[in-house]
Amino acid sequence: MGAAAIAGFLLAEEEEEEEQQQQQQRQTVQERRGHRRITTRRTNYPRHRVFRNRVSYLGLTEEQCLKRLRLSREAVTEVCRLVQGDLHGESIIRTALPVAVKVTAALNFYATGTFQAPTANITGISQFAVYRSIKEVTDALVRHAPTYLNFRTDEEQQRQRYFFAIAGFPKVQGIIDCMQVAICAPNNNPMAYLNAEGYYSLNVQIICDHRQKIMNVNACFPGGMHDFYILKQSEVPLIFEGEGKLNGWLLGDLGYVLQPWLMTPLHNPFTAAENRYNVVHAQTRVIIKQTFGLLKKRFRCLDRSGGALRYAPEKVSKIVTVCCMLHNIAMDSGLSLDLDELQPIEDEEDHGPQQPPALDQPLQGARQMREEIIAQFFSS
């Protein structure tokens, strides 16, 4: 092999060794940089994080519980028991919220009508955790609503007796009316939710008994929907017309069309008996207005004075249903409110009832039923 060839071979070997050394140096630098990045991340996140103290109803006095949650400690315990299976920890995360904290956050929102920051300050959890708690507790409670919102057949005769004792109207099973619950303009079909008063709402149908307990609620219809249309689309007609129907009728205002099971006032009473019928009808029906007042006083999230609910109509529907259910729990616990302290509800009281559509006319049998009631109970 010539000298030139040997020199070329040695030069190639030196170049290859130099390239390998440079590659090793670059790899070492990258490893060191990666190690520094990992070390930096670890120093930014301490191993032991510090959380604020969480507050539940268990840390409140009875008076504080009634003021902030509108329920007694015993009633809140019942609510926690109801949702325990739905909310109890499927999560294995060490920082998961206890059921009592979630329920306290949701109840405080229903009761105060204030949005998430004040509730977060009370419970000691983040605003996002409050949002999640409201959603989870509402979804859990609405599953139990049928147990608390129903026409109890074993109280049928009792309802008739107590309603008759109010002013003398016979065979009444309940009072029906609708109330508006303000919401923000929804993304889909907002004009359907614009009510006659010029704001967006749900038109909520409620039936109450003589004790101001709620037996039926339908919160699925937009604020611009007519009261009588909501009634026709609801389950109520089946309760009074289907198999095992209730014996008696509901009382409704002039926004409804007379039915054999729904007595309404006379548009133009002529005789003394007809006038007495209208007076007694109005005296008995005032209970539904009182029920609306109690409901909105107890759960300010439903009252327009606290601002519109900032949720989609589907979620507001659940919130309304849950508040009606909790209202009944409060009534069963003997937690009444002073009617004299109730603020006026402009949505419900100051504006007359809607006139039913012209196409909806009373059945002849319904007219005959009302005439018989007038003749038998109000003519003397």
Side-chain angles (χ1 to χ4, degrees), residues 141-314:
L141 283 174
V142 81
R143 299 187 188 104
H144 299 275
T147 304
Y148 293 86
L149 301 168
N150 57 69
F151 286 87
R152 290 188 55 177
T153 55
D154 59 329
E155 296 181 352
E156 184 176 332
Q157 296 298 322
Q158 180 184 357
R159 287 193 294 267
Q160 291 187 18
R161 289 195 304 271
Y162 278 94
F163 272 121
F164 186 81
I166 293 172
F169 206 107
K171 299 182 68 173
V172 178
Q173 289 293 335
I175 316 295
I176 186 171
D177 205 350
C178 288
M179 71 175 189
Q180 301 287 339
V181 175
I183 63 173
C184 291
N187 294 327
N188 297 326
N189 195 17
M191 294 307 297
Y193 293 85
L194 192 64
N195 62 30
E197 304 307 316
Y199 63 91
Y200 299 98
S201 66
L202 293 183
N203 196 14
V204 181
Q205 175 183 280
I206 287 179
I207 301 175
C208 74
D209 68 5
H210 57 282
R211 299 166 296 180
Q212 299 167 348
K213 286 185 62 177
I214 296 170
M215 299 183 291
N216 184 272
V217 59
N218 189 320
C220 300
F221 288 88
M225 198 66 68
H226 194 281
D227 293 359
F228 187 58
Y229 176 83
I230 296 174
L231 174 61
K232 290 193 298 183
Q233 300 301 314
S234 71
E235 63 180 353
V236 175
L238 292 177
I239 296 174
F240 288 89
E241 295 175 349
E243 184 178 354
K245 63 183 180 181
L246 288 176
N247 179 28
W249 37 70
L250 301 173
L251 299 187
D253 61 22
L254 289 173
Y256 295 96
V257 176
L258 183 68
Q259 303 290 315
W261 45 269
L262 173 60
M263 293 295 110
T264 61
L266 291 154
H267 284 271
N268 299 299
F270 180 73
T271 67
E274 290 175 346
N275 276 292
R276 279 194 292 271
Y277 168 90
N278 272 12
V279 169
V280 171
H281 189 286
Q283 290 174 344
T284 308
R285 196 168 50 81
V286 74
I287 291 179
I288 191 68
K289 300 303 182 184
Q290 294 174 346
T291 302
F292 290 165
L294 282 170
L295 182 63
K296 289 190 172 184
K297 179 72 172 181
R298 178 169 279 125
F299 301 111
R300 302 298 293 181
C301 70
L302 304 182
D303 192 1
R304 187 185 173 199
S305 64
L309 284 168
R310 303 173 187 176
Y311 297 101
E314 296 77 14

Side-chain angles (χ1 to χ4, degrees), residues 65-85:
C65 207
L66 289 170
K67 182 177 180 180
R68 297 183 180 183
L69 310 182
R70 296 295 194 272
L71 295 175
S72 64
R73 286 168 58 92
E74 182 180 359
V76 179
T77 300
E78 178 184 348
V79 173
C80 291
R81 179 185 58 79
L82 283 175
V83 300
Q84 182 77 22

Side-chain angles (χ1 to χ4, degrees), residues 17-32:
E17 288 178 0
E18 184 177 355
E19 183 177 354
Q20 289 178 353
Q21 290 176 358
Q22 290 177 354
Q23 185 175 357
Q24 289 177 354
Q25 289 175 356
R26 287 195 297 269
Q27 185 175 356
T28 302
V29 170
Q30 288 176 355
E31 289 177 354
R32 289 177 178 175

